[in-house]
Amino acid sequence: MLELRVCIGSACHLKGSYNVVQAFQQLIEENALHEKIDFKSAFCMKQCGNPGVRVSVNGEIHHVMADTARDFFTAKVMPLA
Ligand code: FES
């Protein structure tokens, strides 16, 4: 099962983690991926300085902008699920 985490620490919250979480939840729903993706929020991943929201895909850290969260999911998460 693919492990997907979105940081909801204060820095990432300010950069739009709520919108990233919403987008991912919607996409998991739309594509019926509940059985394939273990999706949870996470606390600070200690990389607050970089732009975007910290997202971990099977332990690999990415930075995702709220307005491109859907594209990120399609390109980087769906192929692994
Ligand atoms: S608040 Fe997200 S990495 Fe620190």
Side-chain angles (χ1 to χ4, degrees), residues 9-77:
S10 48
C12 288
H13 176 74
L14 292 174
K15 294 175 199 162
S17 59
Y18 176 78
N19 293 327
V20 174
V21 168
Q22 291 296 308
F24 287 0
Q25 275 175 343
Q26 207 170 38
L27 283 155
I28 288 169
E29 190 74 35
E30 284 170 15
N31 295 285
L33 293 169
H34 294 101
E35 307 276 306
K36 296 184 174 172
I37 299 179
D38 172 26
F39 178 43
K40 291 189 175 76
S41 51
F43 292 109
C44 181
M45 297 180 188
K46 308 291 182 203
Q47 298 195 26
C48 321
N50 298 315
V53 175
R54 278 329 80 192
V55 171
S56 158
V57 181
N58 279 343
E60 188 179 316
I61 303 287
H62 300 266
H63 48 91
V64 178
M65 310 308 277
D67 57 354
T68 56
R70 289 184 71 92
D71 294 340
F72 173 84
F73 190 94
T74 305
K76 302 282 186 184
V77 179

